[in-house]
Amino acid sequence: MKAHVYVTLKTSVLDPQGQTIQNALRKIGFTGVDGVRQGKYFVLSLAKGLTLEAAKAEVERVAREVLTNPVIEEYTYRIEE
Amino acid sequence: MKAHVYVTLKTSVLDPQGQTIQNALRKIGFTGVDGVRQGKYFVLSLAKGLTLEAAKAEVERVAREVLTNPVIEEYTYRIEE
């Protein structure tokens, strides 16, 4: 079982990295992109024998306590069985 | 329309950041995670009026030419209509 965790800045937080990428895209001629937000993507390989419920609980704790800065970031995840 | 782009290290490439996170997880008592791979996650807001085909072409070019280092990274993406 694997978990895919997506950590992004809260929408209220300015994203200078995303802004820099968007400016670069415009300069080199990409006109189809209006905005860019950058985040982090984690793939967690989960231990064998975990139930789906236990896996969800573990992933949520890991995301909340280790992978995310709750002041400026939020996360979503999905489990791949 | 939005595009979600996931950039990850090729599986043949060592992931020291992922390894560091995994070691930290073990030290603080998370036993349900066997491995961690870290990548980058981009949300592209696409210009209005693009057809689905044009959007895919633009996203693939942006991912290939700007967001990904083809020597060590690979990408997947999905379009959110």
Side-chain angles (χ1 to χ4, degrees):
Chain A
M1 205 170 355
K2 286 190 175 181
H4 300 259
V5 182
Y6 313 97
V7 176
T8 52
L9 290 170
K10 290 181 177 176
T11 42
S12 56
V13 178
L14 199 66
D15 178 3
Q17 280 183 298
Q19 194 62 54
T20 305
I21 293 169
Q22 189 190 343
N23 296 341
L25 288 178
R26 204 174 294 135
K27 265 190 210 130
I28 52 180
F30 287 100
T31 54
V33 179
D34 281 347
V36 179
R37 300 278 296 178
Q38 177 167 353
K40 294 174 284 190
Y41 168 50
F42 299 93
V43 180
L44 309 181
S45 307
L46 300 175
K48 288 192 181 36
L50 277 182
T51 64
L52 184 59
E53 286 322 303
K56 283 181 179 174
E58 182 95 346
V59 170
E60 284 170 20
R61 260 191 73 207
V62 166
R64 219 177 28 246
E65 295 178 21
V66 178
L67 303 180
T68 307
N69 171 348
V71 175
I72 58 168
E73 293 173 332
E74 53 199 14
Y75 72 90
T76 57
Y77 74 94
R78 68 181 174 84
I79 300 276
E80 176 194 333
E81 293 197 68
Chain B
M1 205 173 350
K2 285 189 176 180
H4 299 258
V5 182
Y6 314 95
V7 176
T8 52
L9 289 170
K10 291 181 177 176
T11 41
S12 56
V13 179
L14 200 65
D15 179 3
Q17 281 182 298
Q19 195 61 56
T20 305
I21 293 169
Q22 189 189 343
N23 296 341
L25 289 178
R26 205 175 294 135
K27 267 190 206 127
I28 51 179
F30 287 100
T31 53
V33 180
D34 282 347
V36 178
R37 300 276 296 178
Q38 176 169 352
K40 294 174 284 189
Y41 169 49
F42 301 93
V43 180
L44 309 182
S45 306
L46 300 176
K48 287 192 180 34
L50 276 182
T51 64
L52 184 58
E53 287 322 303
K56 283 181 179 176
E58 182 95 345
V59 170
E60 282 170 21
R61 259 192 74 209
V62 167
R64 221 179 23 248
E65 295 178 21
V66 179
L67 303 180
T68 307
N69 171 348
V71 175
I72 59 168
E73 293 173 330
E74 53 199 13
Y75 72 90
T76 55
Y77 75 94
R78 69 179 172 86
I79 300 274
E80 177 194 332
E81 293 197 67

